[in-house]
Amino acid sequence: MAKKTVLVSGGAGFIGSHVTVELISAGHDVVVADNMSNCDMTCFEGVKKITGREDLPFIKMDFCNAAEVDKLFSEYPIDAVIHFAAFKAVGESVEEPVKYYKNNLISFLNVLETASKRGCNVLFSSSATVYGEPDKLPVTEESPRQPATSPYGNTKQICEDILSDTVKATGGKIKGIALRYFNPIGAHPSALIGELPRGVPNNLVPFITQTAIGKRECLSIFGNDYPTPDGTCQRDYIDIVDLAKAHVFAVTRMIDGKMKKDYEIFNVGTGRPVSVLELVNAFEKVNGLKLNYRFAPRRAGDVTAIWADPTLANEEMGWKAERTVEETLASAWAWEKHLAGK
Ligand code: UDP
């Protein structure tokens, strides 16, 4: 595999920072760019420490500004871009749809416009949210996409379509891959990078760790009357380092000309359903503590159950999730303690 230069847009965030570490450890050069709208420099500093790359390029910039995007591509010999720069709060997207459509679509359009001019491949960070409430489980990449239930979810679907159309229009001059993430959780084993939610976390695992550390009083488990084995929702929780590694496989596949089609989609999940209660119990057990939780009404918009069929990513990309849910939950707790200085 030849060494390449990969641009990671939104590279200072939770997923972007873990992907940067894995790209560097696979031998690639990485350029990190972020507008810092939803994070601070904690993770970027952590990435530099983990990789020993004090000279790692960082550009603070806004991907909604086409001139800035063009300038970035002219300054670095970018072979592929992994695009994360986007807003991601589902609830906020319902309240402020224009903000979400404007930011998430314009930034991606700018990246695509420049990438297609320069013949640069594009990896888009999509989401299992595109499957909505699936009729059949597990979901494969062929499972139908359901109408989005939030502007955030809609931006994922629209960006997938924009990527597919653009790849087609270039006649395959640029290639595209969309990775559909299930539920990324956990932190790097070094505990130097992890998830840094602003304010009250929406996602389950940061809420669990913040409750365990005493920042939150009690975890609410949203719904225990779902038609699942224990009544709580089921998800496919994918370790953040495993997820990051999927990007290295995907980028390598694009750059080395191994793609079967010019535009490909892969589920990035474990194939293993875990209920909210199972996750809470596993967290308690592996970390040797008791979590304060209660059952609360269902949360609007939650699907009952979704998990991936990851066969395509396993067989085609040669990628497979490796860390156990216990290892992942231990890493999430180590990160929370690191943040608290414990
Ligand atoms: N959840 C919960 N309490 C919380 C946050 C989440 O019970 O404080 C549940 C939620 O109802 C869902 C699962 O945890 O069943 C995962 O939610 P998350 O927001 O992490 O991801 P989503 O699957 O909604 O993208």
Side-chain angles (χ1 to χ4, degrees):
M1 179 196 68
K3 174 175 168 173
K4 297 288 178 183
T5 301
V6 183
L7 166 65
V8 182
S9 83
F14 173 45
I15 302 180
S17 58
H18 287 82
V19 168
T20 301
V21 167
E22 296 308 319
L23 286 168
I24 292 172
S25 79
H28 294 297
D29 280 335
V30 180
V31 177
V32 176
D34 205 300
N35 70 357
M36 308 307 290
S37 66
N38 197 31
C39 58
D40 59 26
M41 290 303 270
T42 308
C43 285
F44 185 71
E45 291 302 328
V47 169
K48 289 201 293 188
K49 259 202 201 125
I50 295 166
T51 59
R53 286 285 312 274
E54 274 306 314
D55 60 338
L56 183 64
F58 174 80
I59 295 97
K60 183 172 184 298
M61 58 166 285
D62 187 356
F63 280 84
C64 287
N65 182 325
E68 281 187 45
V69 176
D70 217 49
K71 184 162 169 273
L72 179 69
F73 275 77
S74 64
E75 285 173 356
Y76 293 92
I78 296 164
D79 299 294
V81 48
I82 305 183
H83 184 69
F84 294 110
F87 293 148
K88 60 174 186 179
V90 177
E92 189 187 46
S93 81
V94 174
E95 281 154 27
E96 297 183 76
V98 172
K99 174 176 161 181
Y100 271 67
Y101 285 116
K102 201 169 160 192
N103 182 65
N104 294 7
L105 299 185
I106 292 177
S107 62
F108 191 52
L109 288 167
N110 286 341
V111 164
L112 269 181
E113 193 169 38
T114 306
S116 43
K117 265 196 304 215
R118 293 177 178 270
C120 166
N121 297 314
V122 178
L123 193 159
F124 176 64
S125 56
S126 191
S127 164
T129 184
V130 302
Y131 297 118
E133 179 91 61
D135 296 329
K136 244 180 87 194
L137 287 164
V139 288
T140 72
E141 291 77 359
E142 301 300 320
S143 299
R145 292 190 324 189
Q146 308 277 0
T149 54
S150 72
Y152 161 78
N154 207 16
T155 65
K156 292 294 178 195
Q157 299 207 3
I158 296 169
C159 286
E160 282 192 355
D161 293 342
I162 296 174
L163 178 57
S164 160
D165 288 345
T166 307
V167 165
K168 204 196 277 168
T170 66
K173 188 179 127 203
I174 70 161
K175 315 276 185 214
I177 291 182
L179 296 183
R180 290 178 177 162
Y181 312 146
F182 283 70
N183 287 57
I185 62 164
H188 193 265
S190 64
L192 291 171
I193 55 175
E195 205 166 353
L196 264 180
R198 288 222 162 135
V200 182
N202 287 311
N203 293 115
L204 179 60
V205 169
F207 208 106
I208 289 177
T209 56
Q210 290 197 5
T211 305
I213 206 99
K215 262 173 112 172
R216 312 272 156 219
E217 210 169 298
C218 180
L219 167 75
S220 294
I221 294 183
F222 298 136
N224 62 347
D225 58 350
Y226 283 98
T228 59
D230 65 18
T232 65
C233 292
Q234 292 172 305
R235 296 287 183 275
D236 186 333
Y237 295 96
I238 171 79
D239 180 87
I240 187 65
V241 176
D242 280 334
L243 178 109
K245 286 181 177 162
H247 295 73
V248 179
F249 281 87
V251 160
T252 305
R253 182 178 174 82
M254 282 200 295
I255 291 173
D256 289 354
K258 299 266 167 60
M259 291 173 66
K260 296 255 167 75
K261 290 180 290 179
D262 293 335
Y263 171 64
E264 294 180 330
I265 299 171
F266 294 100
N267 283 342
V268 184
T270 65
R272 170 193 62 202
V274 175
S275 75
V276 177
L277 210 46
E278 284 171 334
L279 198 82
V280 167
N281 291 337
F283 180 84
E284 291 184 325
K285 193 160 173 223
V286 72
N287 295 313
L289 44 82
K290 277 270 155 238
L291 197 71
N292 192 19
Y293 69 84
R294 65 184 178 98
F295 292 112
R298 293 182 178 193
R299 182 172 71 177
D302 274 343
V303 302
T304 302
I306 183 163
W307 65 91
D309 178 341
T311 308
L312 194 68
N314 298 163
E315 293 182 355
E316 271 297 319
M317 291 206 294
W319 167 88
K320 204 171 188 323
E322 282 169 354
R323 279 170 104 191
T324 63
V325 81
E326 286 78 17
E327 285 171 307
T328 307
L329 291 170
S331 73
W333 181 227
W335 165 244
E336 189 67 59
K337 286 191 291 187
H338 169 77
L339 287 176
K342 291 186 181 167

